[in-house]
Amino acid sequence: MKAYLLLLGADQFLRERSYAGGKAIGDFQIWTAIKNAKYQYNSYFDYCINANPLSYEDLKNELAYHKSQGYEPKAIVPLNDWTLKVANRLNQDYGLPYLEEQVIDACRNKSIMKSIFKKVNIPTPKSMYFDNALQLKQLMNEFNFPVIIKPVDFGGSGGVYLANNKQECMDAYTKSKQTMEIYADDFQVSKNEFLIEEFIDSDDEVSVEVLCGHNFYEVITVTEKYLSPRPWFTEMGHLVPSFRYKDKNIKDLAIQACKSLGITRGVAHVEIKIKDNNLYVIEVAARPGGDAIMDLVESSYDINPYRLHISMYINNEVKPTHAFTPKKASAIAFMKAQKGKIMQINYPDVSKDTEIKKINVFKNVGDTVTDPENWSNREGLIQFNWPELPTTKTYKHIHKANELANKIFDCSDAHND
């Protein structure tokens, strides 16, 4: 039998370096699964299974067929939230290492997660579950405004809204429901379960990448996060490492959160808000951070974190011997153009700007630029490297991305069309 590593979600934009991480582990073919693969085939991979990576039945049938052809998985590795459950079931089927089902449930369902945090005294914003308008009306009386309305089981700031009063609360619920109507079926998540949550009024937020193994936890890095203006919470930038990357309290809390949920393999992504020197765990995901944070880690630390993540799905008893020491700063900023219709896209010459590593433009002429509501409302991204490590919170990547967005995108005022 020929062994392969099946990386689910690896073909997703900004997760491309997972291929290199898998290749670095050993002499394995690196496979992924893509819906309608004949039309979407990605030749970087050694093979693309023609299956929806979220469909257990599709994948099970394909894996059985390929086993009959002499190929067997060495590990089935989830790289995003949506593939956690299916990877777990398949690993169990094949007698491969997996996470316990209740661990996956706790990492996917924010309501279960919050109740675990509460039980073990991990500081987290107060939140309550609801699934209809009447419940929400009653729960509003338990909270001081402003509050957050968010889906129980989604990501990328989708369906997350700030509400300053009861009317805004009901409006936020309506908007969140509309968002879930659009995306729930594709991502196979619940479309009518939500949380009302206390709002931690601070713009200081970090994410912590924690390497989780059998009886060991190690923080790889702390990332500084930059959010869009309120009432939205879209991530508009990340910087690795945060100037807080040596902060023992942040690192210890992130490890406690992973332990409390029972995550024992792979890289976990922990989001923490900071207000008046108090720390609050917002949520934890049992997979590597998105938005190219892994690429920033690789750039800054000369370590491919996907390799660490995948290796824990093969053997989580061996603690890697790396010292996680940043050599330089790496950042990403998402471009926001002026609202309106994109009339022209320019490509200013940035070849002599040594700080810019790459620019991706997402939108086309004729597209409409809207508010930064979630990940789908970004116009592009810019990745940066700097030789010096940050000592305070810096916004230079955000400012530079705003400047470039104004040069790249010529927009008409939508109201004058």
Side-chain angles (χ1 to χ4, degrees):
M1 283 279 181
K2 289 181 186 162
Y4 62 89
L5 301 173
L6 178 58
L7 309 184
L8 295 180
D11 62 309
Q12 191 181 341
F13 179 53
L14 301 180
R15 295 193 187 271
E16 298 89 346
R17 294 295 297 160
S18 58
Y19 173 82
K23 271 296 181 201
I25 282 173
D27 190 20
F28 301 111
Q29 286 197 5
I30 308 299
W31 291 20
T32 194
I34 300 177
K35 191 178 181 180
N36 208 0
K38 293 282 168 85
Y39 283 94
Q40 314 284 336
Y41 203 88
N42 184 331
S43 296
Y44 282 104
F45 293 91
D46 297 311
Y47 186 67
C48 295
I49 288 176
N50 186 16
N52 179 349
L54 307 187
S55 167
Y56 170 74
E57 292 301 332
D58 282 8
L59 286 164
K60 192 176 180 186
N61 293 337
E62 284 291 319
L63 265 60
Y65 167 74
H66 289 294
K67 189 172 182 181
S68 75
Q69 303 300 300
Y71 294 93
E72 196 158 41
K74 175 74 177 173
I76 299 160
V77 185
L79 294 177
N80 57 28
D81 286 327
W82 332 114
T83 55
L84 278 169
K85 283 184 179 175
V86 69
N88 231 37
R89 280 184 73 186
L90 291 166
N91 279 324
Q92 287 181 65
D93 291 347
Y94 277 84
L96 300 170
Y98 63 94
L99 283 166
E100 295 299 327
E101 207 164 307
Q102 69 266 25
V103 175
I104 300 290
D105 288 342
C107 292
R108 294 293 300 124
N109 185 310
K110 295 179 176 76
S111 183
I112 298 171
M113 183 187 295
K114 296 282 185 174
S115 65
I116 290 170
F117 290 162
K118 206 172 163 189
K119 212 178 287 175
V120 296
N121 294 321
I122 284 175
T124 190
K126 172 186 171 181
S127 67
M128 297 177 102
Y129 170 97
F130 67 95
D131 60 15
N132 63 64
L134 189 61
Q135 271 184 324
L136 175 57
K137 275 184 183 144
Q138 291 165 339
L139 291 177
M140 280 183 215
N141 300 317
E142 309 273 332
F143 288 81
N144 294 321
F145 286 99
V147 296
I148 304 282
I149 301 293
K150 61 164 74 164
V152 155
D153 183 12
F154 202 41
S157 306
V160 181
Y161 296 100
L162 182 68
N164 294 296
N165 54 51
K166 290 186 174 184
Q167 185 54 54
E168 283 186 18
C169 215
M170 298 312 292
D171 294 345
Y173 173 43
T174 301
K175 283 194 286 189
S176 197
K177 269 203 305 191
Q178 286 166 349
T179 300
M180 297 316 290
E181 283 294 335
I182 296 167
Y183 294 110
D185 291 343
D186 284 349
F187 288 97
Q188 297 187 13
V189 294
S190 169
K191 64 173 71 170
N192 47 23
E193 296 181 283
F194 299 87
L195 290 181
I196 176 171
E197 187 169 286
E198 170 195 3
F199 175 54
I200 305 298
D201 192 354
S202 166
D203 291 328
D204 285 334
E205 189 172 331
V206 295
S207 61
V208 188
E209 305 305 320
V210 182
L211 181 65
C212 306
H214 179 65
N215 292 332
F216 70 84
Y217 293 84
E218 198 163 346
V219 168
I220 299 170
T221 193
V222 178
T223 302
E224 194 73 21
K225 298 172 96 67
Y226 298 79
L227 303 178
S228 58
R230 296 173 194 172
W232 305 287
F233 298 94
T234 315
E235 289 159 1
M236 294 310 293
H238 304 277
L239 189 148
V240 172
S242 164
F243 72 95
R244 317 169 208 259
Y245 78 98
K246 290 182 177 173
D247 188 311
K248 189 175 183 309
N249 293 334
I250 289 174
K251 289 158 77 167
D252 288 351
L253 180 58
I255 287 170
Q256 271 177 29
C258 292
K259 274 186 183 173
S260 75
L261 297 171
I263 306 171
T264 56
R265 64 178 74 249
V267 173
H269 178 73
V270 184
E271 296 184 345
I272 295 175
K273 261 205 159 183
I274 303 156
K275 186 189 178 190
D276 304 330
N277 290 324
N278 293 315
L279 305 176
Y280 303 87
V281 178
I282 303 299
E283 52 199 50
V284 177
R287 46 78 182 163
D291 270 0
I293 291 172
M294 298 302 99
D295 298 18
L296 302 182
V297 173
E298 186 172 7
S299 226
S300 179
Y301 285 75
D302 291 341
I303 287 169
N304 184 314
Y306 290 112
R307 182 165 77 81
L308 299 173
H309 179 65
I310 296 162
S311 70
M312 291 296 110
Y313 272 82
I314 296 172
N315 181 359
N316 68 342
E317 307 226 348
V318 181
K319 185 177 181 177
T321 52
H322 302 292
F324 297 124
T325 310
K327 317 278 195 301
K328 62 186 174 200
S330 297
I332 194 167
F334 294 97
M335 287 189 280
K336 248 347 268 166
Q338 300 298 319
K339 280 167 75 168
K341 191 177 184 181
I342 299 173
M343 307 306 285
Q344 190 176 327
I345 294 177
N346 313 297
Y347 291 89
D349 183 10
V350 291
S351 55
K352 292 191 171 56
D353 190 327
T354 54
E355 291 185 342
I356 292 178
K357 182 176 179 179
K358 69 169 187 179
I359 299 178
N360 286 97
V361 172
F362 301 161
K363 297 290 168 82
N364 299 304
V365 170
D367 287 349
T368 302
V369 178
T370 55
D371 290 318
E373 208 164 295
N374 59 43
W375 82 94
S376 68
N377 305 110
R378 299 155 167 172
E379 277 69 69
L381 68 78
I382 308 176
Q383 191 175 329
F384 302 88
N385 287 327
W386 305 307
E388 72 282 358
L389 297 179
T391 51
T392 57
K393 188 159 182 169
T394 176
Y395 288 83
K396 67 177 182 173
H397 55 308
I398 303 292
H399 296 325
K400 207 165 195 179
N402 289 339
E403 267 173 49
L404 269 167
N406 287 332
K407 287 180 184 170
I408 291 171
F409 300 101
D410 286 345
C411 297
S412 71
D413 186 335
H415 300 296
N416 295 334
D417 282 358

